[in-house]
Amino acid sequence: MAGTKQSPATASQNPLLSLWKAYNDQTPDRLKFIDAFLFFLMLSGIIQFAYCVLVTTYPYNAFLSGFGSTVGQFVLAASLRSQVNPQNREEFKNVSPERAFADFALGSIVLHFFVYNFLG
Amino acid sequence: MFFRSFGLLLLAAAAQASILTLKSPRFVVSDSIGTQLRAEPISLEHRTASPVKLGGRDTLKLTFQVVEKEDGKGVQPHQTFLRFYDEVTGEEGIQPIRVASNGKAKFDLNPSKPPLSLPPTPKTASGEVNPLQLTLLIGSPEHEPLSIRLFDLVLPPSQPAPVHPDEIKFHLQEELFHTFRPDQKVPNKFISLVFSGIALAPWVVLLGLWSQVAPAPTNLLSPFILPFILSLGAFETLLFTYWVKLKLFDVLLYGAGLGLVTIFTGRQALASISAQRKD
């Protein structure tokens, strides 16, 4: 997740706020798009886990497949993000963004196959 | 062959069947020092009225002579048995009796040294002992069989029969019940609905964020890219249908076909995007 750590000159402000501001200013929209998806997956996973702990695990396979799908999708999306990030181009010289997206699509389809298989 | 032997048998029965009887049958009950407590002849017509009672140290002595009824000649029958029968419990014992060649026989019964054939005489609920019926059975091939009810005999109570260690296993055992974990319950409707709402809430967040930051989709509908989007959508639809109704092998079959299509459309779409990017 490079590109968000650059400290602005207004250091007197709340560092968290300045971090947020830098992120907003310096992150391309395509990465923000993926970040929104990652945030969604994180929230969804947390909620499912909280339901499992607080209320019931009853359809346990449903919980496992739901939670597993969010975690798996998060991993796939995060790797997609790191591969398409322009600042990481040096790291992934051989991986074009299209190739990364194809990997993401293939991984997602396999993941969804297992998730539906497990959902019962 | 059968009729011949049957005829022979009939002939033999008619010619040789003669009748046996007992001469001077009597019994004596004496105590341990030999004093006679009861001594009676046995009538073959009328059974001895009162049962013969035998104490623990008394001795019963039975004497008779087996004779032919016609000429009074002593006969040694082939088989002579004394049958003890408990009418209540159905237990019986057969005691062979030795008869001398002149037909005289003697049988002693000492309850302190009981013969093995004597049936058990347990105490009943009322504390009494069931009387044993004594029957004399005589069989001989040359004579009519003979069965004589002698008298009823009351013996001292026998020891209770020992219980076999495995005896308890031969009774109806306690019924086995399988216990299962109680069924898991779905939480009540209100909680389910609330959490359904919470679980769906991230979608609102996602759509809200995407409305802010989504990059404008460029040429999604172009003939190079649209087939790829459609085949990805078809894959997701196939997997959803798998969840709803399809079998695994159906999905693998359709998925293989769809996979080939997707690889082709994907190459085309991504190649066109890549070409655009490099321009």
Side-chain angles (χ1 to χ4, degrees), chain B residues 136-151:
Chain B
L136 187 66
L137 303 168
I138 295 174
S140 172
E142 293 157 8
H143 302 89
E144 287 278 305
L146 193 60
S147 164
I148 304 165
R149 270 294 295 278
L150 299 176
F151 49 82

Side-chain angles (χ1 to χ4, degrees), chain B residues 86 118-124 128-132 153 155-159:
Chain B
D86 188 335
L118 200 64
T121 49
K123 259 188 183 164
T124 56
E128 300 284 312
V129 172
N130 293 323
L132 296 174
L153 179 65
L155 289 172
S158 59
Q159 293 284 332

Side-chain angles (χ1 to χ4, degrees), chain B residues 13-81:
Chain B
Q16 300 191 334
S18 50
I19 297 173
L20 290 178
T21 187
L22 296 186
K23 190 181 166 192
S24 61
R26 57 183 286 121
F27 70 88
V28 176
V29 178
S30 50
D31 65 9
S32 54
I33 53 170
T35 316
Q36 289 196 355
L37 301 174
R38 187 174 170 182
E40 285 177 29
I42 300 169
S43 161
L44 299 186
E45 279 79 38
H46 315 287
R47 185 148 44 95
T48 310
S50 62
V52 177
K53 212 167 163 150
L54 211 58
R57 298 176 158 217
D58 299 350
T59 312
L60 172 74
K61 186 173 278 184
L62 190 67
T63 54
F64 55 88
Q65 185 184 14
V66 184
V67 296
E68 276 186 343
K69 197 165 191 176
E70 287 155 22
D71 53 8
K73 206 175 74 181
V75 172
Q76 184 180 32
H78 260 216
Q79 299 179 323
T80 309
F81 295 115

Side-chain angles (χ1 to χ4, degrees), chain B residues 79-101:
Chain B
Q79 299 179 323
T80 309
F81 295 115
L82 200 55
R83 176 176 183 253
F84 304 90
Y85 177 58
D86 188 335
E87 207 173 26
V88 181
T89 61
E91 296 269 10
E92 70 169 357
I94 306 284
Q95 172 69 33
I97 292 179
R98 189 187 297 263
V99 181
S101 57

